Amino acid sequence: MNLCDIGTIKDIMAAYGLSFRKEFGQNFLIDGETVARIADSCLCEGTKTVLEIGAGFGALTSELARRFEKVIALEIDRGLIPLLGFTLSGFSNIEIIQADVTKTDLRELLSTDLARGGVSVCANLPYYITTPILLQLLETRLPFDCVCLMVQDEVADRLCAAPGDPEYGSVTAYMNYFGTCTRLFGVPKNRFYPAPKVDSAVIRIDLYKEKPAVPADEQLFFRVIRAAFGQRRKTLPNALSSQFTDISKTELAGAVESCGFSPDIRGERLSCADFVRLSDEIGRRMKNV
Ligand code: SAM
């Protein structure tokens, strides 16, 4: 069965009484070459288990199952579960689980697989919920070998941006704390059915085994990033002072300058390591108030 063939997809969906659910971001891949390339992107050394988020019709799931010992495939849509049982019936190494990933404790779900080592994540992410899922994956702090995701083109640009690029934002700086992001290849919208409005790209996030820069106070560091990008047009001291009421603007400006930044710099120029230094300096000054 060709799981990328539009006719096959339509016929089997109809046979199961299903229609494409926009609210779940159901745009299925219909290009075998793209599916194989995404699965290949997950071939990190040591990976035995792949967690797939959003199995859909099962095209990517099957390619992952051909490459890895085990695939755990989550799918929120209850209607698709019996269908996946049919489209993936030829594989004995796939575990299909009906679940909303955002309500799933991934540490618990993957505990056995993490214990034996070698877990990666692969997903053609539903667009409506890309950022929350990405943040969830980072915040679990699980030691994934790699995280390969299909995201909207503009999200890929944002995640891979460098300080000073127009696309660079709080999510970029935050993500850079956990790892690095590489844009692997673009995927035009006509490779999906139904076709979405915009093109996509596959990215790979390589999580740091040891973070290159660690703040003294992580919560303060996250707060500084949020404040710096909260009002992008403002200079960094002004953007910070509108969010920090527990330290004076003079102290904040002093912290910015003592880190070697010009007082009229904007937050979008700072790298993750710069934010670590700045939050440590702000933390020191807050303690002395
Ligand atoms: N993997 C398939 C492919 O590449 O053709 C389907 C990708 S489609 C863009 C996204 C899939 O994620 C849909 O099947 C959708 O039902 C599922 N999904 C959406 N939200 C989800 C959630 N919160 N948890 C788990 N799966 C979800």
Side-chain angles (χ1 to χ4, degrees), residues 24-29 52-61 74-77 80 99-102 124-129 133 192:
F24 289 149
Q26 289 180 354
N27 304 97
F28 298 160
L29 278 161
E52 188 196 3
I53 301 165
F57 195 69
L60 180 56
T61 325
L74 299 188
E75 175 51 59
I76 194 171
D77 186 350
L80 283 172
D100 175 344
V101 66
T102 63
N124 172 11
L125 282 185
Y127 294 152
Y128 76 104
I129 201 173
I133 293 177
F192 301 83

Side-chain angles (χ1 to χ4, degrees), residues 257-272:
E257 284 195 61
S258 70
C259 286
F261 306 124
S262 145
D264 58 5
I265 196 168
R266 288 185 165 69
E268 65 214 37
R269 298 253 153 216
L270 269 62
S271 68
C272 175

Side-chain angles (χ1 to χ4, degrees), residues 38-269:
I38 299 173
D40 283 343
S41 308
C42 272
L43 288 169
C44 314
E45 210 183 312
T47 295
K48 297 180 189 124
T49 305
V50 176
L51 169 71
E52 188 196 3
I53 301 165
F57 195 69
L60 180 56
T61 325
S62 67
E63 284 304 309
L64 291 169
R66 289 193 174 96
R67 288 164 178 73
F68 299 94
E69 273 179 36
K70 182 175 167 192
V71 179
I72 300 176
L74 299 188
E75 175 51 59
I76 194 171
D77 186 350
R78 286 177 193 280
L80 283 172
I81 303 302
L83 178 149
L84 284 164
F86 172 67
T87 58
L88 300 173
S89 59
F91 297 90
S92 56
N93 59 339
I94 300 175
E95 196 180 324
I96 303 163
I97 299 172
Q98 189 280 319
D100 175 344
V101 66
T102 63
K103 295 188 180 133
T104 302
D105 181 341
L106 296 180
R107 188 172 288 276
E108 197 186 313
L109 174 76
L110 299 168
S111 59
T112 316
D113 303 275
L114 287 163
R116 69 181 186 131
V119 181
S120 286
V121 179
C122 186
N124 172 11
L125 282 185
Y127 294 152
Y128 76 104
I129 201 173
T130 299
T131 305
I133 293 177
L134 175 66
L135 297 183
Q136 179 190 5
L137 290 173
L138 297 175
E139 280 159 13
T140 58
R141 295 169 196 253
L142 293 175
F144 298 123
D145 294 334
C146 67
V147 177
C148 292
L149 305 174
M150 168 104 75
V151 296
Q152 284 185 330
D153 229 1
E154 62 170 278
V155 176
D157 289 345
R158 216 179 307 147
L159 290 172
C160 299
D165 290 348
E167 296 85 6
Y168 186 75
S170 59
V171 175
T172 329
Y174 184 78
M175 200 273 312
N176 285 159
Y177 177 56
F178 296 94
T180 56
C181 185
T182 313
R183 184 193 171 96
L184 300 181
F185 54 92
V187 181
K189 47 182 179 278
N190 64 6
R191 306 279 162 87
F192 301 83
Y193 186 83
K197 288 199 173 68
V198 294
D199 293 333
S200 297
V202 176
I203 56 164
R204 195 187 61 231
I205 297 173
D206 292 294
L207 299 170
Y208 292 126
K209 302 237 180 310
E210 262 181 59
K211 294 186 179 66
V214 179
D217 177 343
E218 220 177 44
Q219 290 314 312
L220 177 63
F221 164 71
F222 296 147
R223 211 178 139 200
V224 169
I225 292 181
R226 276 196 304 274
F229 289 97
Q231 287 166 305
R232 289 180 74 120
R233 291 217 190 121
K234 288 192 175 178
T235 63
L236 185 55
N238 283 340
L240 292 172
S241 77
S242 60
Q243 298 297 319
F244 279 81
T245 48
D246 38 357
I247 174 170
S248 73
K249 188 172 168 186
T250 316
E251 283 293 337
L252 287 167
V256 168
E257 284 195 61
S258 70
C259 286
F261 306 124
S262 145
D264 58 5
I265 196 168
R266 288 185 165 69
E268 65 214 37
R269 298 253 153 216

